Every structure is written in C-alpha cells, then in structure tokens.
Amino acid sequence: MFKKTFTILSLLLPVVLSAQPALKEVPELEFAALDRNRIVFKGDSSAFERFFDRLASVCLMDEGKVNILHAGGSHVQGGTMTREFRNDILSLGSLTGAGRDLDAGRGLIFPFSAAKTNNPSSFKIRREGEWVASKSIQREPQARLGLCGMAITSSDTSAFVRVVMAPRNPMPSDRSYSFEKLSVLGYATDGDFVPVLLTDSGDTLDAEMKDSCWSFRLPAPADSATVRLCGREGSFTITGILLENDRPGITVTGTGVNGAALTAYSRCQDLERDLALVRPDLVIFAIGINDAVSKDFSEETFKERYRDLVRRVRSVNPDCALLFVTNNDSFRRSRRSGYYVNTNGPKAEHAFMSLAEELGAGVWDQFEIMGGLGSMKSWEAAGLARRDKVHFTDEGYVLLGDLLYNALMEKYAEHLERREGNE
C-alpha cells in the first residue's frame, strides 16, 4: 500500500510543497523558549515516517483514516488543549483534493458530567437517573475500566445519557462534528439491562453487540443522540462512547482523568480492547505530572511504568508512532511557606528523553519550551496559568495546543520534502 502511496505522492508533491500546512500564529513570550518548539527524535523515527505517509494519504489523496490518541490526566480531561490541537489538524482539509473538512469522527468520549466531574469543553452531556461512578484514580475501582479510565453504572430504568456535539463556550476555530455510528462500551451485570439509542428524529435503535461493544448505525448523520438503559433487573455499566463516521479523515481522541498517574492506567483492564476500537496511528503520551508530584519521585520506577503502558499499546498496534510530552513546570504548595517550585521537572524530562531513545519515540519538550524550572510563575503572571501553578488557563491550553500542532506540522513538512528528494 505504501509503495502505491509514494507513487501518487510523487505526482502531488509539487502542488503540496507550494502550499505547506499553515502554522498557527502564537504570541511572543520573552520568558519562554518558543524558538525550541520542535519534536526531537533520540532514536528510531521510522514509525513517524509511516504515520506521516498515512497523514499525506488523507490530506493529499482524500483516502483512508488517521487516528490520534492524546492520553494524560487533568490537562486532557479538561479538553481545551486537545480541542485546539484537533481543530488545528483538521484545518489540513484545505489541502485535500476536495478541499473538504477532514472530520472522520469525534472518537472515544466519556460522559464525565454523569460521573459528577468536569466534562471536556468540546461537547455537552445531559444525564438523568442515578449513576454510580468508578475512576482509575481509586485504589480499587468498583467497575472494570477501559481506556477512558472511568465508568458509570446504573440500575435505574429512567437513566439516560444525552450526547451533544456542541462545544461549551465556542472558539473561532471550532467546527461541527457529526457521527453515523455510535457505540456504547460497557457491560451488563446480573441481569438483562441493555442500552438503546434514541435519535432526535424519534427513532429507537437496537444495538449489534460484540465484545462488550454495543453498536448503533444511525439512519442519517447526527450531532446528538440519547443512550437509554432498558431492563428489569441487574445494572449496566458504561465505560465509553465511540462516535464514528464513514468518511476519510482524521480523528483525535483525548483520554484523561483528573489526578491520573501511570498507576491509574494500569488499573484499566479493558485498555487493549478499547485501543483496538480506537486504532491509534499516533499516541501522544502526556502522563507524568501526577507521577512527579512526590518528593521521592523515582526515574526508574517512572520509566518502568511507562514501558508497561507502551507494551500494552504496541500489543494492539506494533506500528503505532509514539510522542512523549514532558511535564509542564509546576509548583508544590506548603502550608508554611506557600508555593515552591517542584524540582522533579528536570528529572521527569530526563526520564522522557531516555524512554524516547529506548522505545523509538519522539519528544515534545514542553518543560523546556515553557522556560524550564520555575517558569510556571511567569506563565501565571501572563494570564496563561492558574493560581495553583499546575494547571493552565483556557488561553494557556489553547497556546499549548497550537504549539504542539506547529511542532508536528514542521516534522510533517520535512517528511514531505524528504519524499520529494527521494523521488
């Protein structure tokens, strides 16, 4: 397949190279090192070459799908950085032969507000009935968990979850997302509870069930639908909702739970099952800020836990490209002395670099780009970080999403130039 792709690309490259992917404009920050906004490779980069070939196939020939997974903690659960990155990369649609939107589906989501926690900013959830939440940050979650790291369980016959693909506080770069297929990931316990889908046109759809995945094919593309539980006894647990369409394009899925460290991901027994559904071509690993909060942070333990997570990802897709995002600079809080800098930042950065070389991954050095140790205070003063000096404001997350996109697109442009040189 790739040989065919290269041949067709050779005919299209002169056109593409005259209209390279547009980078996002970002503000100048004298306290940051934005000139170092790049992805670096410490070892084998062949997985990225394959990923960029797939991306070129979508963007230039309007063929195939590219799936990107952004995995983290609260930075990802909040959704603003992932949302901006998603909007940016879908703007590559202007380079397709049809010049169309590259939305290939919103991907895997979780109804966080039904679990009484903050929902990502890119979609809305309405829920009714009684739901009990289980989370990967709990030492012993009551429910089996998947890639989303969270589950909601109900035995309430009035319970439902309504999904609306409309962003909270729309941004200029936002676009609409529709789906033609909705799959509920989950399972029934000790009874006959099943999910059914209610469309906005009034249809009630039954599912095709396979491997704990209840799939509904909609009669027409939609941007909202309602999942209702039906049964007489027992309960049903939802571990995720997958939204797909049949068009070529790009899907960006964000999975993160507030407070999640690598140990939280190890508690997700059904992670491989969900990865097989999401089928990531690129995984952006942004897990680590909660691992490095401890004063006795161990680089070796950190790397060993990451090795195990990468092993699980590659057991599903051995060719998946991996990108490590180093921890942002952060501060700890003391009752006696207030906030003080978390000196584990450089240690985590070193661990990520070592892992990248060992595992053939790329690194986006967020820690260095921010300005290094202590820089979070400057980001806060500029209105880009919150007072806790761990999280960012919406403006900060938007900037980070744009920076990540720019770094990835510069590597993509270099890849296209190499392909032209090899023809």
Side-chain angles (χ1 to χ4, degrees), residues 288-297 327-333 339-348 367 372-376 389-390:
I289 190 68
N290 296 302
D291 296 80
V293 72
S294 172
K295 291 183 178 180
D296 59 354
F297 171 68
N327 291 356
N328 57 281
D329 181 56
S330 63
F331 281 63
R332 294 193 183 101
R333 185 175 183 180
Y339 289 96
Y340 63 99
V341 68
N342 180 359
T343 56
N344 286 332
K347 297 178 184 178
F367 183 77
L373 199 63
S375 60
M376 194 62 157
K389 299 175 181 60
V390 174

Side-chain angles (χ1 to χ4, degrees), residues 138-263:
Q138 297 167 336
R139 285 188 177 274
E140 296 182 0
Q142 295 182 4
R144 287 182 63 88
L145 304 175
L147 179 58
C148 291
M150 198 172 291
I152 52 172
T153 302
S154 183
S155 57
D156 186 345
T157 55
S158 67
F160 71 79
V161 171
R162 177 168 173 76
V163 178
V164 180
M165 285 293 104
R168 188 175 68 248
N169 302 322
M171 301 188 299
S173 57
D174 278 327
R175 61 194 65 231
S176 60
Y177 294 91
S178 63
F179 50 91
E180 297 163 356
K181 180 181 177 183
L182 184 151
S183 299
V184 178
L185 282 58
Y187 51 88
T189 304
D190 298 328
D192 60 354
F193 265 68
V194 296
V196 297
L197 191 70
L198 308 181
T199 68
D200 290 353
S201 60
D203 296 319
T204 300
L205 306 180
D206 294 323
E208 176 184 337
M209 198 278 282
K210 181 180 179 181
D211 297 333
S212 299
C213 181
W214 306 70
S215 298
F216 303 87
R217 175 66 65 171
L218 279 74
D223 61 6
S224 59
T226 301
V227 176
R228 182 180 289 279
L229 300 185
C230 292
R232 292 167 295 183
E233 58 183 4
S235 63
F236 192 88
T237 298
I238 297 175
T239 61
I241 297 174
L242 184 62
L243 305 175
E244 303 172 280
N245 63 49
D246 297 325
R247 299 189 296 273
I250 303 170
T251 295
V252 179
T253 291
T255 58
V257 173
N258 295 341
L262 288 164
T263 50

Side-chain angles (χ1 to χ4, degrees), residues 41 81 91-92 120 136 206 244-245 264 317 338-339 343:
F41 296 104
M81 179 181 176
S91 69
L92 294 174
S136 59
D206 294 323
E244 303 172 280
N245 63 49
N317 182 4
Y339 289 96
T343 56

Side-chain angles (χ1 to χ4, degrees), residues 21-27 34 37-39 70 79-91 171-175 364 366 369 379 384 394-410:
L23 302 183
K24 293 294 292 287
E25 290 189 19
V26 297
L34 301 190
N37 182 41
R38 63 179 68 93
I39 292 172
H70 186 201
T80 303
M81 179 181 176
T82 312
R83 171 182 172 184
E84 180 69 5
F85 174 79
R86 180 186 299 110
N87 289 338
D88 288 347
I89 202 164
L90 288 181
S91 69
M171 301 188 299
S173 57
D174 278 327
R175 61 194 65 231
W364 185 59
Q366 181 180 218
I369 295 164
W379 282 64
L384 299 171
D394 285 349
E395 294 78 8
Y397 282 120
V398 167
L399 173 57
L400 290 171
D402 288 339
L403 289 170
L404 177 58
Y405 164 78
N406 284 353
L408 187 65
M409 287 302 100
E410 286 186 350

